[in-house]
Amino acid sequence: MAGFLDRAKEQAQRGLAQGKQKMDEVQQQRAGADLLKRLGAAYYAERRGSGSPESTAAALQALEAYIATHGDGVLRGQ
């Protein structure tokens, strides 16, 4: 009986670790999507005359930093 409980505990711990990893991935994807959205909004505002090239450049720099760390999956919807 103890072997069964040990296996069940180990399996539960693996499940929790996998769930946490998946949650972290989703949060990273959401952060990348937010940066991409912010860049689009900054560019749109700049083109309409209510934004500045500096805010567009800052948004682009933040997105590029994210891509350097996490890859460009956010650009491909992954």
Side-chain angles (χ1 to χ4, degrees):
M1 185 62 134
F4 172 76
L5 292 177
D6 289 340
R7 285 193 306 268
K9 180 180 176 184
E10 183 180 309
Q11 192 172 21
Q13 288 173 338
R14 268 192 308 234
L16 286 173
Q18 289 173 345
K20 183 180 178 337
Q21 181 182 6
K22 184 63 176 173
M23 192 169 100
D24 290 344
E25 289 173 11
V26 168
Q27 287 175 337
Q28 287 176 2
Q29 290 172 351
R30 189 172 290 155
D34 287 346
L35 289 170
L36 190 57
K37 187 178 184 181
R38 199 176 333 157
L39 173 60
Y43 178 76
Y44 180 75
E46 179 184 346
R47 298 299 293 173
R48 296 215 54 218
S50 59
S52 69
E54 292 81 17
S55 26
T56 303
L60 178 60
Q61 185 177 20
L63 180 61
E64 287 175 339
Y66 172 87
I67 289 171
T69 303
H70 302 288
D72 66 352
V74 70
L75 299 176
R76 293 179 272 131
Q78 297 176 348

